[in-house]
Amino acid sequence: MTLVLTLLLGVGLSLAPVPEALRPIPSLAQGPVGPRLVELVATSSAASKRKAVGVAPDGESDAPQVPVLPEEDDPEQLVEVETTDAGTPLPVPVVSDSLGLANLGPTTRESALRMELLREKLGARHVDLELGCRRMGASGCEESGMAPFFAALEALRDGRRTQPVRVEHLGDSLIASDHITDVVRNRLQERHGSGGKGFVYIDRPTRSGRGVRAGQASPGWEFIRVIDRAPPKDRLPMSGVAFTAGGAAGPQDVRFAIEDARTAEISFLAQPGGGTVQVLADGKSLQKVQTRWTPAEVAIARIKLPTGAKTLTLKSRGKVELHGVSLENGNPGVVYDTIGLPGAYAGVFLRTHRPYFRAQIRQRKPSLVVLMFGGNEAFRLSRDWTKPEEIRQEAEALVKLVRESVPDAACLVWSPIDAAVRTMGGDLVPRRGSRMVADIFRDVAKEGGCAYWDALSAMGDEGSAIRWLSAGLLNEDLIHPRARGSDLLGHLFDLSIQRAYAASHPPVASTEPPGLRNLDKALTTTFTRLRSLEKGDSAHLGILQLGASHTASHYFTDAMRTALTKRFGDAGRGFIAAGKASERLKPAGVARELVGEWTVEDALTATTPGQAWGLSGIRAVGAPGASLRIRFCDGCTADTTPPARLSLYWLDGSGAGQPELKVDGTAMPPEPPPPEPFTAPTVRIRSFPVTGPAHEVEVLNQGGGPLTVLGAALDLERPGVTYDVAGLPGSTASTLASHEPQALAAQLSSRKPNLLVFWYGTNESGEANLDASKLRTEYGTLISRLKKDAGGAECLLIGTTDRLQQDADGTWAVAPGLATVTAVLPEVAREQGCAYWSARAAMGGEHSMLRWQRAGLGHEDGTHLTPEGYEKLAGMFLSDLIAAYEAFKAQPPPLAAEGG
């Protein structure tokens, strides 16, 4: 009865015409009474179930405590994307990259452009960072407030940094559930690489909201927080929460999903009488952390996690106080920590124990500290619970604490966002004090050497909260954005950072433009044949790609072959070099087998130039009695009806072994001997008519000497594309030029390629004293000769990928000959009438290999790509090739049109 009477009295006073500061329940004047009472009772009920240590769990009585933010927005309350009359979405506008969209992937970029539509509809604005000045000199500002952070990002880009770039983002309820910060984190990590998840709490500090930045904790953990009504002095660290175990509830545990993490840093209080923490990965014990120490101080325990582990579990025993766990993957990249507490303001974080604050933030080694407050200051100011002078003093003290604790870090201060209140008449008006607090924070940031971001202006200035509410982007409390509104704020903040970074550290322009070049006549025959195939005419396009390891890996060419044959028809697997069994051939359904005594030789190991090699610079030499098998379409169930041709390539000559050939297990009649014996190794080619793509050719050396096999080929005699691959790891264009010319010409004449694709330059780029003139002359002469040997084939040069070499100190430097290669190859292509495509430009130009490494696309050696990287690069090349083909179809040259 007492509770009911007290509640009725509070409701009556809250609805009475008295000043807002005297209302016991101010929020009841901001909307319908019923839902507010339900919310109040539900919040009180939930609070009674929590186990805060000796204090009220929902924070101090004069701070605005907020309801749980929704994990997902209600679609019915969101702004609808405009559509055409047919109901399809309007096209996303093409926006200049002056917004800051560089280096975002297609999915993220599309999402960002959708956010732009929403921004325009709401009247939100792009507001640039005010960089401030952290160090003045005789000539003015010598270092901006963001300089340390931007320098760290540049070092990541250049490969000079081997440690993560960490951001500590301290704030209030706007980020308590990782809204806003999640967008910024994801984009920074997409641009600059991910260093891992970063700091996460033991449990959610309010046990409500999203749990994405906390572990799964047992219910007996108790906590104390700086946002509580009477937090203990000299007790709490920078993260503002301490989770304790060992009381009446006994031992506790917490589990974290560790994803790609390789290290875990456990932050705890080392204290007299401290207990232990057992650390387990996937349920298996790793080590035990002892927390007993005198005097008490903040400490960390760094744990190396097993590769592939999925979960990390901490089990307490005795008196234990934990603050959180930092999860990182050991890679250079961005780590973005979110430290958000509902009801927090600058003065709240001043309640931390200064030595603990400094120790914990220093342990994180941040490059940037973001201070995101103001909303609760404005709320308190509107209730006359504080004064502007007090707000200024607290903000100045917090900035000073941060600058003194981590003097080498950049700092950035947010303004408050807009909020609204409901009058007694039910009207919505802007909350008083937001702009005043924003101006105070701007002055504090400037005086403290920090950057400043005016979130209030970005949102649309005072009154914008009302528009956001009507659009479904603001909660009914008139203070907190919903999930999509938070995403928009994160979008605007992220782009303000990127614009400032781009302005102070402009990207190094690539010396090679992206896309296909020299297309006037270079690919006329190729495109004409593709058009005939697409029309259903009887045509064939043979492509032969020659190169080094990028080609030999098969990942790039397999992706190209699959796409081209799917669209234009499959004319067979084509040429396969002789050699050992290879897992890389399996995706294409090819198997090789060597039985007996074989030696696989390559042109790189040749002691004398001018020897005869297969197209790829490889040959397999078998002793008498040895056999070799090559199977095409191994294990497949393809159509067996189309006529086909199965061919074997080997070397004949004085003292050569005598081959016995079998096709699908059936011995073939011996070939008549040549009219005159060969005086030098000579390429012999024998073809057999078959049907369908699934066949095996076997060669047995009957004796008389060693038998040298170069390869085999399977061609379907139907319209389509054949994509031959001849790559030798470590080779250069000069390696190919050293092959015996007649043997090379005989194989090219047999394969009859219409298009020769050359992909050399990567190994040349590793030469410290690369001769540009010699490279230009020798490469050009080689291309001219091979085009002629192939019967007048067209040609296309692929330029080298980005290549970096790691110094002894772990930093990455550009390969010594890379600049020469990127300058010479386009000239060679132009002189020889070849099309040209720069793989390096497609990757993103200078130091793009670092970004590909961080995305799992570049190999750790700085030279090669991962399988996923080769497939991505092939997709880029194919996209440019097909775009050029479509342009050709739209306006073909006159001769091509006549002959089509």
Side-chain angles (χ1 to χ4, degrees):
M1 181 60 71
T2 301
L3 176 62
V4 171
L5 291 175
T6 302
L7 184 59
L8 290 176
L9 178 61
V11 171
L13 288 175
S14 299
L15 297 176
V18 296
E20 282 189 313
L22 299 179
R23 301 180 193 273
I25 313 174
S27 63
L28 289 186
Q30 299 177 4
V33 175
R36 299 290 176 184
L37 288 177
V38 171
E39 178 184 299
L40 178 66
V41 173
T43 303
S44 300
S45 176
S48 68
K49 298 178 182 178
R50 299 186 188 134
K51 288 192 175 182
V53 181
V55 294
D58 284 326
E60 58 188 3
S61 60
D62 59 353
Q65 296 304 309
V66 302
V68 177
L69 295 177
E71 295 208 10
E72 299 293 339
D73 284 322
D74 180 357
E76 296 181 359
Q77 299 296 322
L78 294 180
V79 173
E80 295 182 359
V81 177
E82 295 182 5
T83 60
T84 63
D85 293 338
T88 57
L90 290 172
V92 174
V94 177
V95 184
S96 167
D97 197 50
S98 60
L99 288 179
L101 300 178
N103 297 324
L104 291 178
T107 302
T108 308
R109 185 181 179 88
E110 181 179 354
S111 174
L113 293 177
R114 295 293 176 193
M115 280 289 163
E116 282 299 292
L117 291 175
L118 184 59
R119 177 191 64 78
E120 292 179 4
K121 191 176 186 71
L122 290 172
R125 299 195 294 268
H126 288 290
V127 175
D128 289 334
L129 291 182
E130 299 173 28
L131 293 179
C133 183
R134 58 188 282 110
R135 190 177 72 241
M136 295 293 294
S139 59
C141 183
E142 296 180 348
E143 188 178 36
S144 79
M146 292 292 284
F149 180 57
F150 290 162
L153 292 181
E154 185 182 32
L156 277 182
R157 183 189 73 179
D158 296 344
R160 294 179 284 107
R161 188 180 180 97
T162 58
Q163 296 297 316
V165 175
R166 297 186 183 91
V167 180
E168 299 300 311
H169 192 131
L170 279 62
D172 52 25
S173 56
L174 297 184
I175 63 168
S177 291
D178 201 37
H179 289 289
I180 300 177
T181 46
D182 55 353
V183 172
V184 184
R185 179 187 304 107
N186 292 339
R187 292 194 188 173
L188 282 171
Q189 291 183 339
E190 185 168 327
R191 290 183 180 97
H192 307 286
S194 172
K197 192 170 187 176
F199 182 86
V200 289
Y201 283 114
I202 301 301
D203 197 358
R204 292 164 294 177
T206 58
R207 293 205 171 113
S208 62
R210 295 197 303 176
V212 292
R213 305 297 295 180
Q216 294 180 331
S218 56
W221 287 96
E222 299 177 333
F223 54 74
I224 52 177
R225 309 165 300 182
V226 290
I227 57 173
D228 294 332
R229 181 183 296 116
K233 293 182 179 180
D234 299 339
R235 184 74 172 79
L236 296 172
M238 178 266 297
S239 52
V241 185
F243 299 86
T244 62
Q252 300 299 317
D253 61 74
V254 58
R255 186 177 63 182
F256 302 89
I258 55 179
E259 301 164 351
D260 67 339
R262 292 294 171 265
T263 62
E265 286 189 353
I266 304 169
S267 179
F268 63 95
L269 181 68
Q271 57 184 322
T276 59
V277 177
Q278 186 70 43
V279 183
L280 306 96
D282 293 338
K284 297 180 180 179
S285 179
L286 291 181
Q287 68 183 73
K288 185 180 292 184
V289 177
Q290 175 63 253
T291 74
R292 184 183 298 112
W293 188 258
T294 302
E297 61 182 59
V298 171
I300 62 168
R302 184 178 177 86
I303 310 296
K304 184 177 180 180
L305 301 173
T307 302
K310 303 297 183 184
T311 60
L312 172 72
T313 302
L314 308 181
K315 293 180 178 290
S316 75
R317 183 175 181 180
K319 183 174 69 173
V320 169
E321 177 180 310
L322 302 183
H323 304 141
V325 175
S326 298
L327 300 170
E328 298 186 0
N329 57 29
N331 298 327
V334 173
V335 174
Y336 202 107
D337 294 345
T338 297
I339 309 295
L341 298 174
Y345 50 93
V348 164
F349 275 84
L350 294 175
R351 300 171 182 172
T352 58
H353 187 36
R354 300 299 172 87
Y356 291 179
F357 184 102
R358 293 190 183 99
Q360 191 176 45
I361 198 170
R362 286 172 180 170
Q363 287 167 356
R364 296 302 293 145
K365 299 181 178 66
S367 297
L368 171 65
V369 179
V370 180
L371 302 176
M372 180 180 168
F373 303 104
N376 290 311
E377 281 91 340
F379 178 90
R380 290 160 56 83
L381 187 64
S382 70
R383 296 297 189 268
D384 295 325
W385 294 344
T386 188
K387 297 181 182 300
E389 296 78 13
E390 183 180 358
I391 293 174
R392 179 183 296 274
Q393 291 170 0
E394 291 176 342
E396 288 174 345
L398 183 58
V399 167
K400 182 180 180 181
L401 175 59
V402 168
R403 290 296 310 275
E404 290 177 348
S405 299
V406 281
D408 294 332
C411 57
L412 188 155
V413 177
W414 268 54
S415 80
I417 66 171
D418 190 44
V421 294
R422 196 180 300 274
T423 67
M424 292 185 63
D427 297 329
L428 291 174
V429 296
R431 180 182 61 191
R432 178 171 60 90
S434 295
R435 176 48 65 189
M436 181 181 294
V437 174
D439 292 341
I440 291 172
F441 278 20
R442 173 184 276 112
D443 292 342
V444 169
K446 183 177 180 180
E447 293 167 4
C450 298
Y452 174 77
W453 190 60
D454 192 342
L456 179 58
S457 293
M459 191 173 175
D461 224 309
E462 291 184 305
S464 57
I466 300 171
R467 297 193 300 273
W468 284 45
L469 178 69
S470 64
L473 268 67
L474 194 71
N475 273 295
E476 291 296 327
D477 65 3
L478 310 180
I479 297 173
H480 298 88
R482 304 185 69 186
R484 192 159 176 78
S486 296
D487 289 348
L488 180 54
L489 283 172
H491 166 79
L492 294 173
F493 181 47
D494 165 72
L495 295 188
S496 73
I497 294 174
Q498 298 312 312
R499 289 193 303 273
Y501 173 61
S504 60
H505 294 77
V508 179
S510 173
T511 57
E512 301 177 281
L516 274 170
R517 299 156 63 185
N518 308 340
L519 287 175
D520 291 346
K521 297 179 181 179
L523 299 180
T524 298
T525 299
T526 299
F527 288 162
T528 299
R529 287 176 179 265
L530 288 178
R531 186 178 61 179
S532 296
L533 288 170
E534 199 167 32
K535 291 166 59 178
D537 297 339
S538 180
H540 173 262
L541 175 64
I543 302 174
L544 170 59
Q545 180 169 318
L546 300 153
S549 53
H550 294 327
T551 297
S553 71
H554 291 283
Y555 298 120
F556 181 93
T557 52
D558 279 354
M560 289 296 300
R561 181 185 302 105
T562 299
L564 290 174
T565 57
K566 183 177 181 180
R567 176 167 178 176
F568 299 103
D570 185 358
R573 179 56 181 79
F575 181 83
I576 292 293
K580 300 177 182 178
S582 172
E583 292 293 320
R584 294 183 181 181
L585 292 173
K586 283 187 176 181
V590 174
R592 296 187 304 211
E593 182 181 5
L594 298 177
V595 179
E597 184 180 344
W598 286 91
T599 302
V600 179
E601 303 172 344
D602 66 64
L604 286 175
T605 60
T607 56
T608 57
Q611 296 185 39
W613 300 94
L615 287 172
S616 59
I618 295 175
R619 61 193 184 195
V621 182
S627 64
L628 174 150
R629 297 185 184 89
I630 298 178
R631 290 189 293 276
F632 294 89
C633 206
D634 187 36
C636 73
T637 56
D639 182 10
T640 60
T641 58
R645 185 177 72 257
L646 182 63
S647 305
L648 182 73
Y649 296 69
W650 77 97
L651 288 180
D652 203 350
S654 176
Q658 299 300 311
E660 176 186 300
L661 303 183
K662 291 182 180 180
V663 174
D664 299 329
T666 301
M668 298 290 103
E671 191 174 32
E676 297 182 7
F678 296 115
T679 58
T682 303
V683 174
R684 297 289 298 277
I685 305 167
R686 190 172 180 189
S687 299
F688 306 95
V690 292
T691 57
H695 296 283
E696 177 187 88
V697 59
E698 178 183 0
V699 57
L700 171 67
N701 185 1
Q702 291 183 312
L707 177 66
T708 301
V709 181
L710 305 179
L714 191 285
D715 299 285
L716 300 177
E717 296 179 343
R718 66 182 183 189
V721 175
T722 303
Y723 203 121
D724 290 343
V725 178
L728 177 62
S731 66
T732 63
S734 63
T735 307
L736 182 61
S738 69
H739 293 194
E740 199 280 313
Q742 293 302 320
L744 194 56
Q747 295 173 80
L748 285 171
S749 177
S750 169
R751 295 309 302 151
K752 298 182 177 64
N754 308 108
L755 174 65
L756 291 172
V757 178
F758 297 91
W759 195 357
Y760 293 102
T762 300
N763 293 308
E764 287 90 336
S765 70
E767 300 178 18
N769 299 307
L770 184 63
D771 187 325
S773 178
K774 182 179 179 181
L775 173 63
R776 182 184 299 106
T777 300
E778 291 186 351
Y779 201 178
T781 301
L782 172 68
I783 293 171
S784 178
R785 173 165 63 87
L786 296 189
K787 285 169 59 180
K788 182 178 179 180
D789 291 343
E794 294 180 327
C795 53
L796 187 156
L797 269 66
I798 298 179
T800 180
T801 56
D802 189 41
R803 182 178 181 185
L804 304 176
Q805 295 180 349
Q806 200 164 26
D807 296 335
D809 62 357
T811 61
W812 292 95
V814 176
L818 189 59
T820 300
V821 170
T822 56
V824 169
L825 263 56
E827 296 175 2
V828 172
R830 184 174 59 254
E831 292 167 0
Q832 296 301 321
C834 303
Y836 182 77
W837 187 78
S838 170
R840 186 173 187 240
M843 290 175 66
E846 186 172 350
H847 288 98
S848 55
M849 178 60 77
L850 291 175
R851 295 191 291 275
W852 281 54
Q853 285 177 328
R854 293 167 192 148
L857 303 173
H859 194 276
E860 61 185 12
D861 63 9
T863 300
H864 301 93
L865 306 182
T866 63
E868 296 78 11
Y870 282 117
E871 291 170 8
K872 179 180 177 66
L873 192 65
M876 296 170 137
F877 176 52
L878 182 68
S879 177
D880 287 341
L881 182 68
I882 295 300
Y885 166 63
E886 295 293 345
F888 169 88
K889 286 197 305 180
Q891 193 172 5
L895 292 178
E898 293 173 6

